Amino acid sequence: MSAWIPGLEGVVAARTAVSRVDGEGGGLWFRGVPVETVGRVGFEGAAELVLGRPLVGLGEARVRAWERQRALTVGGSPMAVVRGRVASGDWSAVEDGIAEVAVAVAFAARADVPRPDAALDHASDLFRLARGRLPTEAERIGLSTYLATVMDHGLNASTFAARVVASTGSDAVSAVTAALGALKGPLHGGAPGPVLDMLDAVGSPERADAWVRAELDAGRRIMGMGHRVYRVRDPRAAALEGAVGGLHTDRLALARAVEGAAERALAARHPGRALRANVEFYTAILLEALGFGRELFTPLFAAGRVVGWLAHVEEERAVGRLLRPRAEYVGPPCT
Ligand code: COA
């Protein structure tokens, strides 16, 4: 009889060929390819890598998703809108799943979403649907790098949720809806907004050291720093920091100053525990530089991660065994 492990830390609950996460060394690979390079192959290239097969008709799938979703009225927070729109779908092809999430994100961003252009690449069209204009080349690269970089990350909570649903023999719509619900939680998909709040509060690079020290003295955490798995800098931080380079933002110098100050202060206070920048830190800078409001950061995360969810759904189906762990009973004595 094995004992309960809170958070299931260290428990192996699946086998996957989609991504490998090396927390000690700071590496992330999609089917053997380092995450630092996947952004260069664009959304479609990264998605084909993660799925292990070509995408067929993704542009047409966006048009179908738009035709279906434009008749819907779904209220609530942007993530509730995405969840509701996706949940009401009836699709099975991965292209449709990817398209449904992208179109739902666009409807969470604006009421008057233009008709998708099937001839565009996915990142350009998603930008256009959500922002109402075509991206510049730097913006296209920025968004596709972001979507590619966050596409998969081992057995994270939303991917686990998708696999549990898939293991019951349920459909992909239900698996993706469950994953969206998991991603909606602030412990999983919700840190990039607070990173910007922090940068607003710091104000200028020369204030970074004093601000970080005061924050830690007050017992608060520095947003965008530390990670459950990584014991070094999150490799995705470098990929995203690089993608910010081509965009207009006056935040980068401030962000680097805050990151450096936080690294130094956290190293002094936790000598045995490396607390470095995580994916959220530069996600915040990148998505803001792309002109997206903070409320759209988690929906955009979903637009990339949906590819990983669908790859894991296929893997779990191939296993074909219901995921059904045990609970340790701690209630009143049973007579
Ligand atoms: N700022 C200040 N202190 C931090 C910290 C941070 N960002 N992250 C961890 N610590 C401290 C904890 O207070 C703890 O100190 P203690 O041992 O004196 O209690 C120690 O480091 C270990 O932290 P722990 O909670 O065990 O780490 P974890 O692996 O459970 O947490 C996070 C990982 C991501 C939840 C955590 O680093 C955090 O809260 N980061 C800020 C929020 C964030 O960026 N989230 C996005 C994640 S992608």
Side-chain angles (χ1 to χ4, degrees):
M1 291 283 157
S2 54
W4 174 52
I5 299 174
L8 300 181
E9 255 168 278
V11 175
V12 177
R15 298 183 107 183
T16 184
V18 181
S19 68
R20 171 168 179 247
V21 184
D22 173 8
E24 296 296 328
L28 171 63
W29 296 261
F30 295 165
R31 296 194 195 270
V33 177
V35 72
E36 292 85 348
T37 63
V38 296
R40 290 183 211 144
V41 297
F43 178 91
E44 281 79 356
E48 291 182 351
L49 179 66
V50 163
L51 290 163
R53 60 181 169 78
L55 283 172
V56 181
L58 181 57
E60 289 73 19
R62 283 193 304 274
V63 176
R64 278 196 299 279
W66 181 83
E67 292 285 2
R68 185 187 77 78
Q69 289 195 31
R70 74 184 166 133
L72 303 175
T73 312
V74 183
S77 69
M79 272 306 280
V81 167
V82 174
R83 187 191 53 196
R85 287 179 167 273
V86 170
S88 64
D90 180 21
W91 44 266
S92 54
V94 295
E95 289 81 358
D96 288 313
I98 295 166
E100 287 279 353
V101 173
V103 168
V105 170
F107 276 107
R110 55 194 295 131
D112 55 335
V113 174
R115 185 185 177 85
D117 181 347
L120 285 176
D121 65 276
H122 192 67
S124 295
D125 210 20
L126 171 54
F127 186 100
R128 180 179 151 271
L129 300 182
R131 299 279 326 275
R133 66 163 172 86
L134 280 169
T136 64
E137 182 60 3
E139 287 169 337
R140 183 190 68 74
I141 291 171
L143 184 56
S144 78
T145 302
Y146 171 70
L147 297 171
T149 303
V150 302
M151 224 166 243
D152 199 56
H153 200 234
L155 200 57
N156 59 90
S158 57
T159 299
F160 187 40
R163 288 191 78 129
V164 170
V165 173
S167 84
T168 71
S170 188
D171 56 304
V173 179
S174 301
V176 168
T177 304
L180 286 165
L183 188 65
K184 187 168 176 289
L187 294 185
H188 185 9
V195 169
L196 293 183
D197 297 339
M198 172 178 77
L199 295 183
D200 286 343
V202 178
S204 59
E206 64 281 3
R207 291 192 56 214
D209 278 305
W211 190 90
V212 165
R213 270 198 309 274
E215 201 67 3
L216 292 175
D217 287 345
R220 286 190 286 271
R221 292 191 174 204
I222 308 303
M223 290 297 118
M225 301 295 293
H227 196 275
R228 175 60 58 82
V229 177
Y230 292 114
R231 292 295 170 260
V232 291
R233 196 176 193 239
D234 185 330
R236 297 167 298 177
L240 299 180
E241 187 182 0
V244 178
L247 296 162
H248 296 293
T249 172
D250 47 15
R251 292 272 207 194
L252 205 48
L254 176 60
R256 286 184 175 142
V258 173
E259 182 189 1
E263 267 183 16
R264 287 188 294 276
L266 288 167
R269 284 166 203 241
H270 300 277
R273 170 82 160 87
L275 294 164
R276 309 277 310 270
N278 63 46
V279 67
E280 312 281 13
F281 200 92
Y282 286 98
T283 289
I285 319 293
L286 176 57
L287 295 184
E288 186 190 52
L290 289 170
F292 292 108
R294 296 169 199 204
E295 72 291 350
L296 285 175
F297 289 3
T298 308
L300 286 163
F301 187 162
R305 184 57 60 86
V306 63
V307 180
W309 294 336
L310 291 165
H312 281 267
V313 164
E314 290 184 356
E315 278 191 341
E316 196 59 51
R317 283 186 178 145
V319 175
R321 187 153 178 90
L322 179 68
L323 280 166
R324 173 57 171 97
R326 291 170 44 243
E328 183 186 349
Y329 178 72
V330 293
C334 302
T335 52

